[in-house]
Amino acid sequence: MAMQEKRIALVTGGGTGIGRGIALALARRGMDVALVGRRAAPLEAVAQEVSALGARGVALPTDVTVASERAALIERVHAALGLLDLLVNNAGMMAGGDLVTLSAEEIEQAVALNLTAPMDLTRLALPDLAASRGAVVLVASAVSHVPLPSGSLYTATKTGLRAFGETLRYELEPLGVHLLIAYPPAVKTAMTAGMAAAAGVPIFPMLAPEKAGERIVSALFAHKRELQFGFSEQTTAHLYKIAPWLVKLGLRSQRRRFSRMMKAVRLNRREPTNG
């Protein structure tokens, strides 16, 4: 089935940031969207925006880190909209900071949201996606190509998500299920608020989440297998492949700056940003 024929999508973290951008981009292409996240209010707001674009939007408040809630989610989508054609695993949290400063709860929370939830949701959605020859989107991160100082937990979860997707392709291809892995650059969201000031540089460019969402959906409809964007991120990733020692030397010199940036993320984060 061509992407243009697909009708029903589930977007985790759909109430804010990139998830909202993805949901609106899908709605502009005529897809109905089930919006998933912990907080009902932002999900309802985006559902109204989806409806204003001529598609159906439904808010399904869910904590995707809870196995029982994940297990019930697909049936809730069936009841509200029908069988799934597209699963977008977008929900995530910027779990930054030096490892010694993190609690066991923070580590477990980050792994549950950034890695366990998308793995299990993909498993649960596969019967639908195989029947419709649908698609899965994994929103990873540029840090899975270039690990950054003070980001061991976040990098581990996002690199794990990348490895999961690349390995899963062997299972999805015989089923006719397409997989896109997206590696967005720094995006201006509540999760990253404060990073620019903490960086201490005159210009700290961040991409608008609506533009990030549109880029990801455009790549999906173009049937791309991966999407890397952000000029500096792509340049750094390429240099890391050919001269990793040089990139690591530069990153070591900036360890204090990255520590300040990740600390700012933690101070700004009141709860996981899964919508």
Side-chain angles (χ1 to χ4, degrees), residues 3 5 8-9 58 65 71 85-87 98-99 115 119 122 134 157 160 170 175 182 201 225 229 237 239 259 265 275:
M3 273 309 306
E5 298 172 332
I8 298 173
V58 59
T65 67
D85 299 295
L86 171 64
L87 171 64
D98 294 344
L99 185 62
L115 189 55
M119 293 173 71
T122 302
T157 58
Y170 296 113
L175 301 175
V201 294
R225 292 165 59 90
F229 54 110
L239 184 59
S259 181
V265 171

Side-chain angles (χ1 to χ4, degrees), residues 57-193:
V58 59
L60 299 177
T62 305
D63 186 343
V64 296
T65 67
V66 178
S68 60
E69 295 196 33
R70 291 196 301 268
L73 181 58
I74 303 302
E75 288 302 321
R76 292 171 66 198
V77 175
H78 290 169
L81 296 173
L83 298 179
L84 271 177
D85 299 295
L86 171 64
L87 171 64
V88 180
N89 286 300
N90 163 74
M93 62 184 293
M94 177 72 85
D98 294 344
L99 185 62
V100 72
T101 69
L102 301 175
S103 67
E105 290 76 16
E106 285 176 299
I107 293 172
E108 291 174 359
Q109 192 178 55
V111 173
L113 182 58
N114 292 0
L115 189 55
T116 304
M119 293 173 71
D120 195 33
L121 281 174
T122 302
R123 177 185 67 86
L124 292 165
L126 264 182
D128 278 15
L129 301 178
S132 66
R133 298 180 70 83
V136 178
V137 175
L138 301 177
V139 180
S141 170
V143 303
S144 63
H145 293 285
V146 183
L148 301 178
S150 297
S152 57
L153 176 56
Y154 185 64
T155 300
T157 58
K158 289 299 187 178
T159 303
L161 187 63
R162 173 190 177 192
F164 165 67
E166 292 291 358
T167 307
L168 187 64
R169 289 192 197 279
Y170 296 113
E171 301 175 39
L172 298 185
E173 288 170 352
L175 301 175
V177 177
H178 179 68
L179 173 66
L180 168 67
I181 307 177
Y183 304 97
V187 174
K188 189 176 182 180
T189 67
M191 186 169 65
T192 57

Side-chain angles (χ1 to χ4, degrees), residues 1-6 26 29 31 86 135 137 178-180 213-227:
M1 184 184 294
M3 273 309 306
Q4 285 77 2
E5 298 172 332
K6 298 186 187 306
L26 291 171
R29 290 162 173 83
M31 291 194 71
L86 171 64
V137 175
H178 179 68
L179 173 66
L180 168 67
E214 177 61 36
R215 287 286 301 275
I216 291 169
V217 173
S218 293
L220 175 66
F221 274 69
H223 212 67
K224 292 186 177 180
R225 292 165 59 90
E226 68 173 36
L227 172 65

